[in-house]
Amino acid sequence: MAEVQAGVAVVTGAAGGMGSAIAMALADRGYAIVLCDLHAEPLQELARTLEGKAAVSVISGDVTAPDYPARIIAAVGARKIAVLAHAAGVSPSMADGARVFAINFTATTHLVEALLPHMAVGGVAVLVASNSAQLIARPIFDRALKKVMRGKSSLVLKLMLRSSRTAYPMSKRAIQLYAIAMAPAFGKMGARVVSLSPGIIDTAMGRLEQKAGPEMDKMIAVTPLGRMGQSAEIASVVAFLASPAASYITGTDILVDGGTVAGIEGVGGVLKL
């Protein structure tokens, strides 16, 4: 039986492929779990699979709702948050550009800043980004995103939000930059924050995007490991980041993509579609 860990692990997007794998990995390590996602039924089903492994609470609702962070805080109660694994998000095929950015990034900032005072000393927030963000890590986009993070408007971002295909990597690059920017605030709490950027993962969301066009198959073709990743391969990294072995890792991005970014750079940075 796993040793019971102090504090609680909050997992958003817990009904998804990566989120559920993360929840199971953290439950196996003895954390009490707060499962969060849009719909109650799949969360209740996951909670039943965790019976006997961990104390589980369920929060269903829209991550962009103003009261969403307060509901999580209420579920946490007097406990401290040892792990925030924020996997909630949408892919390009699931919403328009503005909605993609609102869910993937804006809601992330509201949630993280609300939960920060409740973080445990030694705790960590792992914010799921994407390797697509590494592919657009360019000064022009970073300047635009940092401007928005300061509460100002950006014409570049407005243009990128016209399409969900460009809004998605922008939202994930914003998460990477946000994790860097928030490291000092987390450090004052004795806690850490990182972004984690998966590559193409074999989940329902990943398969949806694979069907949407040829881009993902082209990316898999140049990936050095030659395959999609598995949810468990992301969950194991989250578990490591939550462990004492990762106690000096903060304010950075962890790329877990089987080498896809390296493979794309190896063919000149552009895929022929």
Side-chain angles (χ1 to χ4, degrees):
M1 184 174 178
E3 178 185 354
V4 176
Q5 301 290 335
V8 61
V10 175
V11 182
T12 72
M18 280 192 290
S20 60
I22 291 167
M24 288 186 281
L26 294 175
D28 285 342
R29 285 157 178 79
Y31 290 98
I33 310 290
V34 177
L35 301 173
C36 310
D37 213 313
L38 184 59
H39 300 296
E41 186 175 343
L43 289 178
Q44 295 290 356
E45 183 177 344
L46 177 58
R48 286 191 289 271
T49 70
L50 298 178
E51 286 180 1
K53 290 185 177 182
V56 180
S57 303
V58 169
I59 303 292
S60 60
D62 186 342
V63 70
T64 65
D67 68 338
Y68 195 79
R71 293 177 63 205
I72 294 175
I73 292 167
V76 170
R79 299 171 295 179
K80 288 292 186 179
I81 299 172
V83 185
L84 168 60
H86 182 48
V90 292
S91 64
S93 296
M94 298 171 69
D96 63 29
R99 180 69 173 162
V100 165
F101 196 84
I103 294 172
N104 290 355
F105 177 65
T106 308
T108 297
T109 66
H110 294 162
L111 180 65
V112 169
E113 286 158 32
L115 298 188
L116 176 57
H118 303 272
M119 292 297 297
V121 173
V124 64
V126 181
L127 313 180
V128 175
S130 165
N131 69 341
S132 65
Q134 296 281 7
L135 298 173
I136 64 154
R138 301 291 184 268
I140 186 172
F141 298 134
D142 285 1
R143 284 194 297 270
L145 291 169
K146 289 177 180 178
K147 189 175 180 181
V148 170
M149 288 165 60
R150 294 194 300 270
K152 299 181 179 180
S153 62
S154 165
L155 177 59
V156 170
L157 181 61
K158 287 179 181 178
L159 293 172
M160 295 296 279
L161 296 191
R162 289 182 175 179
S163 166
S164 62
R165 296 288 159 188
T166 51
Y168 179 80
M170 288 292 281
S171 71
K172 296 300 188 176
R173 180 58 180 162
I175 288 175
Q176 292 177 345
L177 295 173
Y178 183 68
I180 295 170
M182 288 298 290
F186 272 77
K188 289 178 181 177
M189 299 293 296
R192 299 175 290 116
V193 57
V194 297
S195 58
L196 189 161
S197 292
I200 301 167
I201 307 301
D202 189 9
T203 62
M205 185 182 292
R207 291 188 291 274
L208 175 66
E209 293 308 314
Q210 188 178 25
K211 292 178 181 178
E215 295 90 347
M216 292 185 72
D217 286 334
K218 294 287 187 179
M219 291 173 72
I220 294 169
V222 300
T223 296
L225 294 188
R227 62 174 175 84
M228 284 184 169
Q230 299 299 312
S231 295
E233 293 175 304
I234 301 302
S236 65
V237 178
V238 175
F240 162 70
L241 291 169
S243 75
S247 59
Y248 206 53
I249 300 175
T250 192
T252 191
D253 183 64
I254 309 296
L255 182 62
V256 188
D257 75 339
T260 302
V261 170
I264 292 173
E265 290 178 354
V267 295
V270 178
L271 295 178
K272 294 181 180 179
L273 303 177

